[in-house]
Amino acid sequence: MALAEAGVRGRLLRWPRVLLFGDSITEYSFQENGWGTYLAERLVRKCDVVNRGISGYNTRWAKLILPRLITESTGADSIAAVTIFFGANDSALKELNPKQHVPLEEYAANLKSMVQYLKSVDITADKIILITPPPLQESAWEKACLAKGDKLNRCNATTGQYAQACVQVAKECGTDVLDLWSLMQKNQDFSSYLSDGLHLSAKGNSFVAAQLWSRLEHKLSALPSLLPYWRDVDHTNPEASLL
């Protein structure tokens, strides 16, 4: 059978997508042992895990990009889940990092705007997970800043305010939320979760992966494996199994 003929006979295979949208903590999630890699491994043959992390970005810029990533005409119906993971840059101190800083009230409004946009293209609230920024280990991040000739441009208390705003937006919009800022500081020293005071270490990636998977697993558990197990393919008539 010609490939063209097989393509006509067979139904187009469309993998559902899990979209990871965020800043550098999302962009780096596909590195070795990253939390995005963990999700992709767990969802092989069920979903494509798509990394749309953009280092250095904040919610002011992200809300402009989101409609270019997902529209009704480009397969919003195939979205199985979306994570929105911003705040580490928004919460930068205005006087020391005005380019990335976004005021707290605007940050919350931007998150809400992104959730509302997703709902407008028929991505329901149960498919959306907001993720707060992780806590900031100030002494380690100060070393990273000084190495670049900068001053400490973030503080953990301020990051916590943005995390609380993220949690509140999730509550108002009816979405799930992963409050990393609180969870990582619960009864423990959180510094081991961070590689430079801001970005995740190997332990931090494992922590995020486990916490996020606990929220995604029940959402995605009903998704079937795509294409039959190889032992179940009729080798005498593979078209019957595969088309």
Side-chain angles (χ1 to χ4, degrees), residues 1 7 15 29-30 36 40 48 50 63 75 95 104 108 114 119 126 143 150 158 192 194-195 202 214 221 229 238 243:
M1 178 185 297
W15 260 244
S29 73
F30 271 27
D48 282 337
V50 181
K63 74 173 185 179
E95 60 274 18
L104 183 62
M114 285 189 276
K119 290 179 177 179
D126 62 300
K143 290 179 182 178
D150 299 326
T158 300
S192 62
L194 304 169
S195 62
S214 71
S221 59
Y229 180 54
L243 296 180

Side-chain angles (χ1 to χ4, degrees), residues 123-240:
I123 297 174
T124 52
D126 62 300
K127 294 183 177 181
I128 303 168
I129 301 176
L130 300 186
I131 306 177
T132 77
L136 181 82
Q137 215 288 317
E138 293 177 15
S139 60
W141 184 242
E142 184 173 26
K143 290 179 182 178
C145 291
L146 290 173
K148 299 176 182 177
D150 299 326
K151 296 180 180 179
L152 177 65
N153 55 21
R154 290 163 169 80
C155 73
N156 192 39
T158 300
T159 302
Q161 295 175 347
Y162 284 71
Q164 292 170 11
C166 180
V167 171
Q168 183 60 34
V169 169
K171 182 178 180 180
E172 293 173 2
C173 294
T175 72
D176 204 347
V177 64
L178 174 53
D179 183 2
L180 290 180
W181 191 86
S182 297
L183 288 170
M184 284 185 168
Q185 294 184 91
K186 192 174 182 180
N187 303 321
Q188 58 196 317
D189 174 14
F190 65 87
S191 60
S192 62
Y193 289 129
L194 304 169
S195 62
D196 57 3
L198 175 68
H199 300 96
L200 300 175
S201 64
K203 183 178 179 181
N205 272 284
S206 295
F207 183 85
V208 173
Q211 292 289 333
L212 189 53
W213 182 244
S214 71
R215 288 158 173 78
L216 281 173
E217 187 174 15
H218 74 278
K219 299 178 188 293
L220 305 177
S221 59
L223 291 174
S225 290
L226 294 164
L227 295 172
Y229 180 54
W230 72 271
R231 291 187 184 276
D232 297 330
V233 175
D234 181 354
H235 68 282
T236 65
N237 182 20
E239 291 89 346

Side-chain angles (χ1 to χ4, degrees), residues 1-12:
M1 178 185 297
L3 288 177
E5 183 183 349
V8 170
R9 283 188 52 188
R11 291 176 291 109
L12 180 65

Side-chain angles (χ1 to χ4, degrees), residues 17-63:
R17 292 177 293 156
V18 174
L19 180 72
L20 311 180
F21 188 40
D23 52 34
S24 58
I25 302 175
T26 297
E27 181 175 327
Y28 301 161
S29 73
F30 271 27
Q31 294 179 346
E32 186 176 4
N33 299 317
W35 59 270
T37 302
Y38 177 97
L39 295 179
E41 182 181 357
R42 294 297 178 281
L43 293 169
V44 165
R45 291 184 57 190
K46 289 194 171 187
C47 286
D48 282 337
V49 179
V50 181
N51 187 334
R52 292 295 180 265
I54 311 161
S55 179
Y57 275 50
N58 56 32
T59 56
R60 181 181 293 164
W61 305 341
K63 74 173 185 179

